[in-house]
Amino acid sequence: MLYIIKVDPNRENMTVGALNALKKSKIVIGVEKNLVMIEDLIEGKIIHEKTVKDKTYLIELGISLAFNEEVTLIDYEDPETFGLANLFFQNLGKYDKIDFKIYPSTTSINLSATLLGAPLTDFIAIDLGSDLIPLSEIKEKIENSVKANFVVVIYKGEKHFKLIKEILLDLKRGSIWIGVVNNMDYRIAKLTNINSNELNSDTILIVGNKMTYMENNKLITPQPVLIDPYLHPLTKEFYTNFINNESHDGSNKTCGYYPCHAMENQQCDFCYCPFYPCGDGSTGGKWIKNKNVWNCIDCTWIHKKDVVDCLKPKIKEIILDVEDLKTKKEDLLKIRRECIFNS
Ligand code: SF4
């Protein structure tokens, strides 16, 4: 019987299933780094400590021993994604039937995401560790993932960091937030502030999408949330005028509060935000502590020209009555998201 488990980056994240597999096994195969972590758990067992990272060799050794004994093979990567499970199945055809069980692990993706905060919503994971994948394929995968606004998790990005940077800059994502995870250490920075010398062969990069933001040194890609709207009397007055085409187009420099946000060429078409409260910090809003009040002072997004151009015709179509701000909030939030992605 062959069990494939993972111990990295520390035994704290092993599953109970993996622990039981180890207990049952007479033979344990692994690299030194992993065996040291579980020394007390494998005492008295036959240990095959391998220093080479030859995946095929490890698989074949595990299979050959498992015909007669219970064997645990410790994967130094994530078995179920870029690790040994794949290679195991690719080689299985060479052998007679063998009993096996592969235990899912706490993947490097899970662990990195937890350290960084909550950066993953829809995401794509790409492993750049193999020398057998052409650069053209790597480039296409990264480009298309970023264009489709996925969060992109990159394993072993060190070698190709220059290329990653070039692609992101070409796609005008220089200000995108990125989490850099080196084992249990992490740093969050904008692309342009990350240097290749802070990456190593085990580094995981989590490249945020257009909505990813940093707050309290944590990386967050917000999930859509629906918060009951509160319509201030001034909001009602504004949208009554908006529906009747009596509100202001473009910058309203005659307004005593202009510019109410410190920005050039502030557009005042949405003097009152139709999405309030959005509860989504990606455009700069945040909760006021202990007050349960959403504060938009740092959100300049709604006042940018390209954003107004995207929003206005769509909002005109669905807000036909002031009460629609309440009853059509789901549609409004979809429009908001669409225009964040388009802007
Ligand atoms: S102004 Fe910005 S942060 Fe505030 S509700 Fe509107 S979109 Fe959200």
Side-chain angles (χ1 to χ4, degrees):
M1 177 78 174
L2 178 65
Y3 306 108
I4 300 180
I5 69 163
K6 184 190 170 202
V7 176
D8 252 352
N10 52 42
R11 55 196 272 175
E12 189 186 324
N13 294 302
M14 279 172 70
T15 62
V16 175
L19 193 61
N20 288 338
L22 262 183
K23 279 187 193 159
K24 280 188 281 188
S25 295
K26 190 170 172 190
I27 301 173
V28 178
I29 307 168
V31 296
E32 184 193 4
K33 184 178 89 166
N34 292 153
L35 294 171
V36 168
M37 291 176 191
I38 51 168
E39 245 167 3
D40 56 319
L41 301 175
I42 56 176
E43 216 179 317
K45 298 181 188 291
I46 300 167
I47 310 296
H48 287 269
E49 181 186 313
K50 299 295 161 200
T51 49
V52 286
K53 287 192 174 181
D54 180 342
K55 294 183 182 181
T56 306
Y57 172 68
L58 289 178
I59 283 290
E60 292 193 336
L61 177 65
I63 292 175
S64 60
L65 295 171
F67 283 110
N68 301 314
E69 299 290 353
E70 296 208 66
V71 179
T72 290
L73 172 56
I74 304 173
D75 193 348
Y76 50 85
E77 293 178 320
D78 302 330
E80 62 284 81
T81 48
F82 305 119
L84 292 182
N86 195 288
L87 208 56
F88 170 72
F89 286 110
Q90 282 179 252
N91 280 279
L92 208 51
K94 292 186 206 165
Y95 299 92
D96 287 337
K97 189 177 176 313
I98 183 173
D99 292 326
F100 64 89
K101 186 160 170 81
I102 299 164
Y103 287 91
S105 62
T106 302
T107 65
S108 308
I109 301 177
N110 300 142
L111 196 84
S112 303
T114 313
L115 288 170
L116 290 166
L120 303 179
T121 51
D122 294 336
F123 71 94
I124 280 187
I126 303 173
D127 181 8
L128 302 186
S130 172
D131 291 327
L132 305 178
I133 297 180
L135 267 186
S136 54
E137 183 181 332
I138 292 174
K139 189 163 184 270
E140 201 174 329
K141 280 180 180 163
I142 299 175
E143 249 173 23
N144 287 330
S145 310
V146 173
K147 277 186 194 161
N149 208 34
F150 283 106
V151 172
V152 187
V153 181
I154 301 179
Y155 278 58
K156 302 185 193 301
E158 182 198 20
K159 269 196 304 210
H160 297 298
F161 187 63
K162 192 165 168 275
L163 175 71
I164 296 168
K165 208 165 179 171
E166 276 169 17
I167 294 170
L168 289 167
L169 290 174
D170 278 355
L171 294 171
K172 300 194 178 12
R173 304 290 175 94
S175 60
I176 214 94
W177 286 106
I178 297 186
V180 181
V181 182
N182 288 320
N183 203 5
M184 294 300 282
D185 292 327
Y186 75 90
R187 188 169 98 83
I188 298 168
K190 298 258 179 170
L191 170 72
T192 40
N193 294 329
I194 297 173
N195 292 313
S196 53
N197 59 11
E198 63 186 286
L199 315 187
N200 62 48
S201 59
D202 289 328
T203 300
I204 299 226
L205 296 171
I206 297 194
V207 180
N209 70 9
K210 283 188 175 181
M211 299 186 80
T212 307
Y213 65 98
M214 184 174 78
E215 194 173 328
N216 299 322
N217 197 31
K218 291 291 176 192
L219 198 60
I220 302 151
T221 307
Q223 290 186 352
V225 283
L226 190 61
I227 301 171
D228 281 342
Y230 159 71
L231 296 187
H232 189 278
L234 289 174
T235 308
K236 289 187 176 181
E237 188 185 319
F238 174 82
Y239 280 96
T240 305
N241 291 335
F242 180 84
I243 291 160
N244 294 326
N245 293 320
E246 288 165 4
S247 61
H248 198 92
D249 289 330
S251 305
N252 184 4
K253 295 186 179 167
T254 60
C255 171
Y257 297 104
Y258 183 90
C260 55
H261 293 268
M263 66 183 289
E264 273 181 32
N265 197 25
Q266 177 182 319
Q267 304 293 295
C268 305
D269 304 59
F270 295 105
C271 180
Y272 289 84
C273 180
F275 312 115
Y276 187 85
C278 68
D280 170 357
S282 66
T283 54
K286 54 173 87 77
W287 291 107
I288 299 176
K289 286 197 192 311
N290 306 319
K291 287 200 171 156
N292 199 24
V293 173
W294 184 249
N295 179 350
C296 301
I297 190 68
D298 292 330
C299 178
T300 53
W301 173 78
I302 190 86
H303 299 301
K304 291 181 178 162
K305 180 151 187 350
D306 60 335
V307 175
V308 170
D309 290 346
C310 177
L311 291 173
K312 208 163 174 179
K314 299 183 200 310
I315 289 185
K316 286 260 178 207
E317 261 179 40
I318 64 163
I319 301 298
L320 307 175
D321 182 280
V322 173
E323 285 303 307
D324 290 342
L325 288 168
K326 277 187 176 174
T327 55
K328 296 184 178 171
K329 181 105 190 220
E330 283 182 22
D331 293 330
L332 284 167
L333 289 179
K334 279 187 226 164
I335 289 173
R336 180 182 181 276
R337 207 172 158 90
E338 193 183 331
C339 289
I340 288 177
F341 287 178
N342 290 342
S343 60

